[in-house]
Amino acid sequence: MNTGGVEKSLLALLRTLPRDRFEPHVALMRHSGELLGDIPADVPVHVIRNIERNWPRLSAPLRRARDISGPLNYLIAKAKGTLVHYYEHVLGDTRDIDSHFDIAVSYQGPSELLDWYVTHRIDARVKCSWIHFEVSKCFINRRTTRLIYPAFERVFIVSDSAKVIFDNIFPELSDKTRVFHNIVNADEVRRLSREYGIKKRPEAVQICTVGRVAWEKAPDIAVLAAKKLKEQGFAFDWHFVGNGNMLDECRKMAGKLGVDDCMHFPGLKPNPYPYMAAADIYVQPSRSEGYCITLAEARLFGMPVVCTPFPGSEQIDGQSNAQIVSFDPGALAEAIVRAAAMPRVQPPVEVSNIDDINLLIELCSPENILE
């Protein structure tokens, strides 16, 4: 339960599910993460011990072998173009969770290992996958997907454009796919946004981005755009809030380009919402997204929004102070300057309404799926 969009969307879903219709459980590969304590108290948490204790063999099969059978089975699986055979070798037929469920969901999809585990090791009448990413840009083994996904009765995808991409790659599965936008708990986001304040320079336009400091979120493009803004004499403070494998690289890049006084990387903030609330402009320069829950959250504050044309960016279509611009530092900088002259708009009361839950009830109810 690390701090991330998928985990936050799960928490919002758990809080929203009507308890007269659902008794949700959560299964984790590891009982850890900054958001672990945010799981609602009435939700039982299971740990998939078989994956946890075998993680070295799953993550580094050739280096962490117990005997020759491990590498041999791994190489056989690789030759077949799918790791399904290797998962069966390492994890065997052990079930970590003895309960029987009406519905089992592989929530952090696409995930080759978790998709396999849900379809092969969870006892449930109905099984679903939940796709949170743009499958054309994240790693997905298409052979494994074609082997596993026929066992799913439903494949939920978090945006219309991400569904189009999935259906184009896997047309044989398109009859199973349904769009289900990530739920954003507006009251919770607004409450958390008041937890602490952000120091601001009165003469500077406040810019905010929330996300992993990793290639998919394009923090390097943000730094290059910041350089162009500074060269134009545009006064700003840009907070790119998050952790990731490019954090040190981007801090050094900002220093080398001379924008470390106005391009800030404060690191991981379990509660990033005060930064959103303090922002004059929200920017999401991502290379790849599924839905982008942080963009949905930023909309709750009504500030001008700038983003690139990733799947899920259609959520801001029709918003008068929103811009979708090409993936280019110069275009991003120009859009930010334009956004600085735009007013705030009346924010939505909710980003996702009760119709989403009604859709889940309708589509996920075993009696409907199994008709």
Side-chain angles (χ1 to χ4, degrees), residues 239-273:
H239 293 91
F240 199 118
V241 184
N243 206 352
N245 57 14
M246 289 182 67
L247 182 58
D248 289 340
E249 176 187 341
C250 287
R251 284 173 173 165
K252 291 175 183 176
M253 183 180 178
K256 184 177 180 180
L257 295 180
V259 295
D260 51 340
D261 60 331
C262 51
M263 184 78 211
H264 312 288
F265 290 92
L268 177 65
K269 300 291 181 182
N271 174 16
Y273 303 118

PDB file of all heavy atoms in Angstrom, residues 239-273:
ATOM      1  N   HIS A 239       6.254  22.963  -7.650  1.00  0.00           N
ATOM      2  CA  HIS A 239       6.479  21.835  -6.743  1.00  0.00           C
ATOM      3  C   HIS A 239       6.057  20.551  -7.445  1.00  0.00           C
ATOM      4  O   HIS A 239       4.876  20.360  -7.747  1.00  0.00           O
ATOM      5  CB  HIS A 239       5.686  22.012  -5.445  1.00  0.00           C
ATOM      6  CG  HIS A 239       6.161  23.159  -4.606  1.00  0.00           C
ATOM      7  ND1 HIS A 239       5.640  24.432  -4.718  1.00  0.00           N
ATOM      8  CD2 HIS A 239       7.131  23.230  -3.655  1.00  0.00           C
ATOM      9  CE1 HIS A 239       6.247  25.233  -3.862  1.00  0.00           C
ATOM     10  NE2 HIS A 239       7.158  24.535  -3.210  1.00  0.00           N
ATOM     11  N   PHE A 240       7.027  19.673  -7.702  1.00  0.00           N
ATOM     12  CA  PHE A 240       6.755  18.353  -8.287  1.00  0.00           C
ATOM     13  C   PHE A 240       6.830  17.363  -7.124  1.00  0.00           C
ATOM     14  O   PHE A 240       7.893  16.952  -6.701  1.00  0.00           O
ATOM     15  CB  PHE A 240       7.799  18.026  -9.365  1.00  0.00           C
ATOM     16  CG  PHE A 240       7.375  16.953 -10.325  1.00  0.00           C
ATOM     17  CD1 PHE A 240       7.241  17.231 -11.678  1.00  0.00           C
ATOM     18  CD2 PHE A 240       7.113  15.663  -9.890  1.00  0.00           C
ATOM     19  CE1 PHE A 240       6.856  16.255 -12.581  1.00  0.00           C
ATOM     20  CE2 PHE A 240       6.727  14.675 -10.782  1.00  0.00           C
ATOM     21  CZ  PHE A 240       6.595  14.969 -12.130  1.00  0.00           C
ATOM     22  N   VAL A 241       5.662  16.995  -6.588  1.00  0.00           N
ATOM     23  CA  VAL A 241       5.573  16.268  -5.322  1.00  0.00           C
ATOM     24  C   VAL A 241       5.531  14.764  -5.581  1.00  0.00           C
ATOM     25  O   VAL A 241       4.643  14.269  -6.289  1.00  0.00           O
ATOM     26  CB  VAL A 241       4.318  16.688  -4.543  1.00  0.00           C
ATOM     27  CG1 VAL A 241       4.278  15.997  -3.182  1.00  0.00           C
ATOM     28  CG2 VAL A 241       4.271  18.211  -4.384  1.00  0.00           C
ATOM     29  N   GLY A 242       6.484  14.046  -5.023  1.00  0.00           N
ATOM     30  CA  GLY A 242       6.500  12.602  -5.168  1.00  0.00           C
ATOM     31  C   GLY A 242       7.890  12.035  -5.034  1.00  0.00           C
ATOM     32  O   GLY A 242       8.885  12.769  -4.975  1.00  0.00           O
ATOM     33  N   ASN A 243       7.957  10.718  -4.994  1.00  0.00           N
ATOM     34  CA  ASN A 243       9.221  10.006  -4.914  1.00  0.00           C
ATOM     35  C   ASN A 243       9.390   9.203  -6.195  1.00  0.00           C
ATOM     36  O   ASN A 243       8.451   9.049  -6.965  1.00  0.00           O
ATOM     37  CB  ASN A 243       9.228   9.076  -3.703  1.00  0.00           C
ATOM     38  CG  ASN A 243      10.623   8.805  -3.197  1.00  0.00           C
ATOM     39  OD1 ASN A 243      11.611   9.185  -3.831  1.00  0.00           O
ATOM     40  ND2 ASN A 243      10.730   8.133  -2.062  1.00  0.00           N
ATOM     41  N   GLY A 244      10.567   8.683  -6.446  1.00  0.00           N
ATOM     42  CA  GLY A 244      10.757   7.863  -7.625  1.00  0.00           C
ATOM     43  C   GLY A 244      12.222   7.744  -7.993  1.00  0.00           C
ATOM     44  O   GLY A 244      13.094   8.405  -7.412  1.00  0.00           O
ATOM     45  N   ASN A 245      12.486   6.898  -8.986  1.00  0.00           N
ATOM     46  CA  ASN A 245      13.870   6.592  -9.322  1.00  0.00           C
ATOM     47  C   ASN A 245      14.581   7.704 -10.080  1.00  0.00           C
ATOM     48  O   ASN A 245      15.775   7.605 -10.349  1.00  0.00           O
ATOM     49  CB  ASN A 245      13.953   5.282 -10.116  1.00  0.00           C
ATOM     50  CG  ASN A 245      13.122   5.304 -11.396  1.00  0.00           C
ATOM     51  OD1 ASN A 245      12.690   6.367 -11.845  1.00  0.00           O
ATOM     52  ND2 ASN A 245      12.882   4.142 -11.969  1.00  0.00           N
ATOM     53  N   MET A 246      13.871   8.782 -10.432  1.00  0.00           N
ATOM     54  CA  MET A 246      14.506   9.919 -11.096  1.00  0.00           C
ATOM     55  C   MET A 246      14.621  11.134 -10.171  1.00  0.00           C
ATOM     56  O   MET A 246      14.990  12.221 -10.631  1.00  0.00           O
ATOM     57  CB  MET A 246      13.723  10.307 -12.356  1.00  0.00           C
ATOM     58  CG  MET A 246      13.838   9.320 -13.499  1.00  0.00           C
ATOM     59  SD  MET A 246      12.924   9.856 -14.989  1.00  0.00           S
ATOM     60  CE  MET A 246      13.876  11.312 -15.484  1.00  0.00           C
ATOM     61  N   LEU A 247      14.326  10.955  -8.884  1.00  0.00           N
ATOM     62  CA  LEU A 247      14.304  12.099  -7.978  1.00  0.00           C
ATOM     63  C   LEU A 247      15.660  12.785  -7.897  1.00  0.00           C
ATOM     64  O   LEU A 247      15.772  14.001  -8.102  1.00  0.00           O
ATOM     65  CB  LEU A 247      13.840  11.657  -6.591  1.00  0.00           C
ATOM     66  CG  LEU A 247      13.721  12.747  -5.528  1.00  0.00           C
ATOM     67  CD1 LEU A 247      12.756  13.840  -5.973  1.00  0.00           C
ATOM     68  CD2 LEU A 247      13.274  12.161  -4.191  1.00  0.00           C
ATOM     69  N   ASP A 248      16.714  12.033  -7.599  1.00  0.00           N
ATOM     70  CA  ASP A 248      18.050  12.637  -7.491  1.00  0.00           C
ATOM     71  C   ASP A 248      18.489  13.216  -8.829  1.00  0.00           C
ATOM     72  O   ASP A 248      19.081  14.317  -8.887  1.00  0.00           O
ATOM     73  CB  ASP A 248      19.059  11.593  -7.008  1.00  0.00           C
ATOM     74  CG  ASP A 248      18.849  11.215  -5.551  1.00  0.00           C
ATOM     75  OD1 ASP A 248      18.207  11.998  -4.828  1.00  0.00           O
ATOM     76  OD2 ASP A 248      19.325  10.133  -5.151  1.00  0.00           O
ATOM     77  N   GLU A 249      18.214  12.492  -9.907  1.00  0.00           N
ATOM     78  CA  GLU A 249      18.598  12.961 -11.245  1.00  0.00           C
ATOM     79  C   GLU A 249      17.939  14.301 -11.573  1.00  0.00           C
ATOM     80  O   GLU A 249      18.583  15.213 -12.111  1.00  0.00           O
ATOM     81  CB  GLU A 249      18.190  11.904 -12.280  1.00  0.00           C
ATOM     82  CG  GLU A 249      18.431  12.301 -13.720  1.00  0.00           C
ATOM     83  CD  GLU A 249      17.863  11.288 -14.697  1.00  0.00           C
ATOM     84  OE1 GLU A 249      17.606  10.131 -14.292  1.00  0.00           O
ATOM     85  OE2 GLU A 249      17.658  11.653 -15.880  1.00  0.00           O
ATOM     86  N   CYS A 250      16.659  14.435 -11.231  1.00  0.00           N
ATOM     87  CA  CYS A 250      15.942  15.670 -11.559  1.00  0.00           C
ATOM     88  C   CYS A 250      16.382  16.834 -10.680  1.00  0.00           C
ATOM     89  O   CYS A 250      16.440  17.977 -11.131  1.00  0.00           O
ATOM     90  CB  CYS A 250      14.431  15.438 -11.454  1.00  0.00           C
ATOM     91  SG  CYS A 250      13.773  14.452 -12.812  1.00  0.00           S
ATOM     92  N   ARG A 251      16.692  16.561  -9.418  1.00  0.00           N
ATOM     93  CA  ARG A 251      17.217  17.625  -8.564  1.00  0.00           C
ATOM     94  C   ARG A 251      18.542  18.141  -9.105  1.00  0.00           C
ATOM     95  O   ARG A 251      18.793  19.350  -9.156  1.00  0.00           O
ATOM     96  CB  ARG A 251      17.390  17.099  -7.140  1.00  0.00           C
ATOM     97  CG  ARG A 251      16.078  16.973  -6.362  1.00  0.00           C
ATOM     98  CD  ARG A 251      16.297  16.286  -5.035  1.00  0.00           C
ATOM     99  NE  ARG A 251      15.078  16.316  -4.203  1.00  0.00           N
ATOM    100  CZ  ARG A 251      14.893  15.560  -3.129  1.00  0.00           C
ATOM    101  NH1 ARG A 251      15.840  14.716  -2.742  1.00  0.00           N
ATOM    102  NH2 ARG A 251      13.773  15.643  -2.440  1.00  0.00           N
ATOM    103  N   LYS A 252      19.421  17.217  -9.553  1.00  0.00           N
ATOM    104  CA  LYS A 252      20.703  17.617 -10.132  1.00  0.00           C
ATOM    105  C   LYS A 252      20.495  18.362 -11.447  1.00  0.00           C
ATOM    106  O   LYS A 252      21.184  19.347 -11.737  1.00  0.00           O
ATOM    107  CB  LYS A 252      21.578  16.387 -10.349  1.00  0.00           C
ATOM    108  CG  LYS A 252      22.069  15.749  -9.062  1.00  0.00           C
ATOM    109  CD  LYS A 252      22.838  14.470  -9.342  1.00  0.00           C
ATOM    110  CE  LYS A 252      23.257  13.788  -8.046  1.00  0.00           C
ATOM    111  NZ  LYS A 252      23.932  12.487  -8.301  1.00  0.00           N
ATOM    112  N   MET A 253      19.530  17.896 -12.245  1.00  0.00           N
ATOM    113  CA  MET A 253      19.227  18.542 -13.522  1.00  0.00           C
ATOM    114  C   MET A 253      18.742  19.969 -13.300  1.00  0.00           C
ATOM    115  O   MET A 253      19.151  20.899 -14.008  1.00  0.00           O
ATOM    116  CB  MET A 253      18.163  17.718 -14.258  1.00  0.00           C
ATOM    117  CG  MET A 253      17.789  18.224 -15.629  1.00  0.00           C
ATOM    118  SD  MET A 253      16.510  17.150 -16.372  1.00  0.00           S
ATOM    119  CE  MET A 253      16.223  18.023 -17.918  1.00  0.00           C
ATOM    120  N   ALA A 254      17.877  20.154 -12.279  1.00  0.00           N
ATOM    121  CA  ALA A 254      17.379  21.497 -11.968  1.00  0.00           C
ATOM    122  C   ALA A 254      18.530  22.416 -11.546  1.00  0.00           C
ATOM    123  O   ALA A 254      18.583  23.592 -11.933  1.00  0.00           O
ATOM    124  CB  ALA A 254      16.318  21.426 -10.877  1.00  0.00           C
ATOM    125  N   GLY A 255      19.474  21.885 -10.774  1.00  0.00           N
ATOM    126  CA  GLY A 255      20.624  22.684 -10.371  1.00  0.00           C
ATOM    127  C   GLY A 255      21.516  23.037 -11.545  1.00  0.00           C
ATOM    128  O   GLY A 255      21.980  24.177 -11.671  1.00  0.00           O
ATOM    129  N   LYS A 256      21.753  22.055 -12.421  1.00  0.00           N
ATOM    130  CA  LYS A 256      22.608  22.294 -13.583  1.00  0.00           C
ATOM    131  C   LYS A 256      22.015  23.337 -14.523  1.00  0.00           C
ATOM    132  O   LYS A 256      22.745  24.139 -15.116  1.00  0.00           O
ATOM    133  CB  LYS A 256      22.811  20.966 -14.323  1.00  0.00           C
ATOM    134  CG  LYS A 256      23.767  21.052 -15.490  1.00  0.00           C
ATOM    135  CD  LYS A 256      23.976  19.687 -16.122  1.00  0.00           C
ATOM    136  CE  LYS A 256      24.934  19.763 -17.299  1.00  0.00           C
ATOM    137  NZ  LYS A 256      25.143  18.436 -17.936  1.00  0.00           N
ATOM    138  N   LEU A 257      20.681  23.340 -14.659  1.00  0.00           N
ATOM    139  CA  LEU A 257      20.016  24.289 -15.553  1.00  0.00           C
ATOM    140  C   LEU A 257      19.697  25.620 -14.875  1.00  0.00           C
ATOM    141  O   LEU A 257      19.116  26.510 -15.491  1.00  0.00           O
ATOM    142  CB  LEU A 257      18.725  23.662 -16.111  1.00  0.00           C
ATOM    143  CG  LEU A 257      18.906  22.443 -17.020  1.00  0.00           C
ATOM    144  CD1 LEU A 257      17.557  21.917 -17.493  1.00  0.00           C
ATOM    145  CD2 LEU A 257      19.776  22.785 -18.227  1.00  0.00           C
ATOM    146  N   GLY A 258      20.010  25.721 -13.587  1.00  0.00           N
ATOM    147  CA  GLY A 258      19.815  26.979 -12.880  1.00  0.00           C
ATOM    148  C   GLY A 258      18.380  27.286 -12.505  1.00  0.00           C
ATOM    149  O   GLY A 258      18.014  28.456 -12.365  1.00  0.00           O
ATOM    150  N   VAL A 259      17.566  26.237 -12.308  1.00  0.00           N
ATOM    151  CA  VAL A 259      16.166  26.473 -11.928  1.00  0.00           C
ATOM    152  C   VAL A 259      15.832  25.849 -10.573  1.00  0.00           C
ATOM    153  O   VAL A 259      14.666  25.753 -10.204  1.00  0.00           O
ATOM    154  CB  VAL A 259      15.191  25.933 -13.012  1.00  0.00           C
ATOM    155  CG1 VAL A 259      15.345  26.706 -14.304  1.00  0.00           C
ATOM    156  CG2 VAL A 259      15.388  24.436 -13.241  1.00  0.00           C
ATOM    157  N   ASP A 260      16.862  25.461  -9.818  1.00  0.00           N
ATOM    158  CA  ASP A 260      16.593  24.823  -8.533  1.00  0.00           C
ATOM    159  C   ASP A 260      16.030  25.797  -7.502  1.00  0.00           C
ATOM    160  O   ASP A 260      15.569  25.377  -6.438  1.00  0.00           O
ATOM    161  CB  ASP A 260      17.841  24.136  -7.976  1.00  0.00           C
ATOM    162  CG  ASP A 260      19.054  25.044  -7.951  1.00  0.00           C
ATOM    163  OD1 ASP A 260      19.067  26.053  -8.678  1.00  0.00           O
ATOM    164  OD2 ASP A 260      19.996  24.741  -7.200  1.00  0.00           O
ATOM    165  N   ASP A 261      16.045  27.106  -7.815  1.00  0.00           N
ATOM    166  CA  ASP A 261      15.435  28.077  -6.911  1.00  0.00           C
ATOM    167  C   ASP A 261      13.930  28.193  -7.137  1.00  0.00           C
ATOM    168  O   ASP A 261      13.216  28.759  -6.312  1.00  0.00           O
ATOM    169  CB  ASP A 261      16.085  29.448  -7.088  1.00  0.00           C
ATOM    170  CG  ASP A 261      15.938  29.979  -8.505  1.00  0.00           C
ATOM    171  OD1 ASP A 261      15.849  29.163  -9.457  1.00  0.00           O
ATOM    172  OD2 ASP A 261      15.911  31.221  -8.681  1.00  0.00           O
ATOM    173  N   CYS A 262      13.440  27.653  -8.253  1.00  0.00           N
ATOM    174  CA  CYS A 262      12.006  27.762  -8.557  1.00  0.00           C
ATOM    175  C   CYS A 262      11.383  26.427  -8.975  1.00  0.00           C
ATOM    176  O   CYS A 262      10.156  26.329  -9.089  1.00  0.00           O
ATOM    177  CB  CYS A 262      11.766  28.809  -9.642  1.00  0.00           C
ATOM    178  SG  CYS A 262      12.792  28.608 -11.102  1.00  0.00           S
ATOM    179  N   MET A 263      12.193  25.392  -9.202  1.00  0.00           N
ATOM    180  CA  MET A 263      11.706  24.044  -9.518  1.00  0.00           C
ATOM    181  C   MET A 263      12.047  23.146  -8.343  1.00  0.00           C
ATOM    182  O   MET A 263      13.211  22.817  -8.106  1.00  0.00           O
ATOM    183  CB  MET A 263      12.372  23.524 -10.795  1.00  0.00           C
ATOM    184  CG  MET A 263      11.846  22.175 -11.255  1.00  0.00           C
ATOM    185  SD  MET A 263      10.254  22.332 -12.094  1.00  0.00           S
ATOM    186  CE  MET A 263       9.487  20.777 -11.698  1.00  0.00           C
ATOM    187  N   HIS A 264      11.037  22.770  -7.577  1.00  0.00           N
ATOM    188  CA  HIS A 264      11.261  22.096  -6.300  1.00  0.00           C
ATOM    189  C   HIS A 264      10.774  20.641  -6.359  1.00  0.00           C
ATOM    190  O   HIS A 264       9.706  20.357  -6.888  1.00  0.00           O
ATOM    191  CB  HIS A 264      10.529  22.827  -5.183  1.00  0.00           C
ATOM    192  CG  HIS A 264      10.741  24.315  -5.189  1.00  0.00           C
ATOM    193  ND1 HIS A 264      11.941  24.902  -4.818  1.00  0.00           N
ATOM    194  CD2 HIS A 264       9.922  25.342  -5.550  1.00  0.00           C
ATOM    195  CE1 HIS A 264      11.842  26.214  -4.935  1.00  0.00           C
ATOM    196  NE2 HIS A 264      10.629  26.501  -5.382  1.00  0.00           N
ATOM    197  N   PHE A 265      11.564  19.751  -5.774  1.00  0.00           N
ATOM    198  CA  PHE A 265      11.206  18.340  -5.661  1.00  0.00           C
ATOM    199  C   PHE A 265      11.206  17.981  -4.175  1.00  0.00           C
ATOM    200  O   PHE A 265      12.204  17.504  -3.642  1.00  0.00           O
ATOM    201  CB  PHE A 265      12.199  17.469  -6.438  1.00  0.00           C
ATOM    202  CG  PHE A 265      12.087  17.615  -7.931  1.00  0.00           C
ATOM    203  CD1 PHE A 265      12.867  18.545  -8.615  1.00  0.00           C
ATOM    204  CD2 PHE A 265      11.211  16.822  -8.655  1.00  0.00           C
ATOM    205  CE1 PHE A 265      12.769  18.682  -9.990  1.00  0.00           C
ATOM    206  CE2 PHE A 265      11.106  16.946 -10.037  1.00  0.00           C
ATOM    207  CZ  PHE A 265      11.881  17.880 -10.700  1.00  0.00           C
ATOM    208  N   PRO A 266      10.087  18.213  -3.474  1.00  0.00           N
ATOM    209  CA  PRO A 266      10.059  18.006  -2.025  1.00  0.00           C
ATOM    210  C   PRO A 266      10.035  16.543  -1.605  1.00  0.00           C
ATOM    211  O   PRO A 266      10.118  16.243  -0.411  1.00  0.00           O
ATOM    212  CB  PRO A 266       8.767  18.720  -1.599  1.00  0.00           C
ATOM    213  CG  PRO A 266       7.901  18.702  -2.813  1.00  0.00           C
ATOM    214  CD  PRO A 266       8.837  18.814  -3.983  1.00  0.00           C
ATOM    215  N   GLY A 267       9.929  15.617  -2.568  1.00  0.00           N
ATOM    216  CA  GLY A 267       9.914  14.201  -2.230  1.00  0.00           C
ATOM    217  C   GLY A 267       8.524  13.693  -1.890  1.00  0.00           C
ATOM    218  O   GLY A 267       7.508  14.336  -2.168  1.00  0.00           O
ATOM    219  N   LEU A 268       8.489  12.515  -1.298  1.00  0.00           N
ATOM    220  CA  LEU A 268       7.220  11.858  -0.990  1.00  0.00           C
ATOM    221  C   LEU A 268       6.447  12.612   0.083  1.00  0.00           C
ATOM    222  O   LEU A 268       6.986  12.947   1.137  1.00  0.00           O
ATOM    223  CB  LEU A 268       7.484  10.427  -0.516  1.00  0.00           C
ATOM    224  CG  LEU A 268       6.258   9.614  -0.093  1.00  0.00           C
ATOM    225  CD1 LEU A 268       5.329   9.378  -1.281  1.00  0.00           C
ATOM    226  CD2 LEU A 268       6.676   8.296   0.532  1.00  0.00           C
ATOM    227  N   LYS A 269       5.180  12.872  -0.187  1.00  0.00           N
ATOM    228  CA  LYS A 269       4.268  13.460   0.786  1.00  0.00           C
ATOM    229  C   LYS A 269       3.009  12.592   0.815  1.00  0.00           C
ATOM    230  O   LYS A 269       2.213  12.611  -0.128  1.00  0.00           O
ATOM    231  CB  LYS A 269       3.887  14.893   0.393  1.00  0.00           C
ATOM    232  CG  LYS A 269       5.063  15.862   0.290  1.00  0.00           C
ATOM    233  CD  LYS A 269       5.668  16.154   1.650  1.00  0.00           C
ATOM    234  CE  LYS A 269       6.827  17.130   1.537  1.00  0.00           C
ATOM    235  NZ  LYS A 269       7.473  17.391   2.837  1.00  0.00           N
ATOM    236  N   PRO A 270       2.835  11.788   1.872  1.00  0.00           N
ATOM    237  CA  PRO A 270       1.622  10.951   1.931  1.00  0.00           C
ATOM    238  C   PRO A 270       0.345  11.761   1.743  1.00  0.00           C
ATOM    239  O   PRO A 270      -0.644  11.253   1.212  1.00  0.00           O
ATOM    240  CB  PRO A 270       1.706  10.327   3.326  1.00  0.00           C
ATOM    241  CG  PRO A 270       3.170  10.289   3.623  1.00  0.00           C
ATOM    242  CD  PRO A 270       3.733  11.537   3.008  1.00  0.00           C
ATOM    243  N   ASN A 271       0.377  13.022   2.179  1.00  0.00           N
ATOM    244  CA  ASN A 271      -0.741  13.932   1.932  1.00  0.00           C
ATOM    245  C   ASN A 271      -0.235  15.090   1.068  1.00  0.00           C
ATOM    246  O   ASN A 271       0.291  16.074   1.579  1.00  0.00           O
ATOM    247  CB  ASN A 271      -1.312  14.460   3.248  1.00  0.00           C
ATOM    248  CG  ASN A 271      -2.377  15.524   3.015  1.00  0.00           C
ATOM    249  OD1 ASN A 271      -2.909  15.678   1.914  1.00  0.00           O
ATOM    250  ND2 ASN A 271      -2.701  16.277   4.051  1.00  0.00           N
ATOM    251  N   PRO A 272      -0.408  15.003  -0.270  1.00  0.00           N
ATOM    252  CA  PRO A 272       0.080  16.067  -1.142  1.00  0.00           C
ATOM    253  C   PRO A 272      -0.936  17.176  -1.382  1.00  0.00           C
ATOM    254  O   PRO A 272      -0.646  18.146  -2.082  1.00  0.00           O
ATOM    255  CB  PRO A 272       0.335  15.319  -2.456  1.00  0.00           C
ATOM    256  CG  PRO A 272      -0.741  14.279  -2.479  1.00  0.00           C
ATOM    257  CD  PRO A 272      -0.954  13.868  -1.034  1.00  0.00           C
ATOM    258  N   TYR A 273      -2.127  17.049  -0.799  1.00  0.00           N
ATOM    259  CA  TYR A 273      -3.231  17.931  -1.189  1.00  0.00           C
ATOM    260  C   TYR A 273      -3.051  19.389  -0.786  1.00  0.00           C
ATOM    261  O   TYR A 273      -3.561  20.273  -1.485  1.00  0.00           O
ATOM    262  CB  TYR A 273      -4.561  17.370  -0.675  1.00  0.00           C
ATOM    263  CG  TYR A 273      -4.787  15.969  -1.186  1.00  0.00           C
ATOM    264  CD1 TYR A 273      -4.890  14.885  -0.305  1.00  0.00           C
ATOM    265  CD2 TYR A 273      -4.860  15.702  -2.552  1.00  0.00           C
ATOM    266  CE1 TYR A 273      -5.064  13.594  -0.772  1.00  0.00           C
ATOM    267  CE2 TYR A 273      -5.027  14.414  -3.022  1.00  0.00           C
ATOM    268  CZ  TYR A 273      -5.126  13.363  -2.124  1.00  0.00           C
ATOM    269  OH  TYR A 273      -5.282  12.091  -2.599  1.00  0.00           O
TER     270      TYR A 273
END
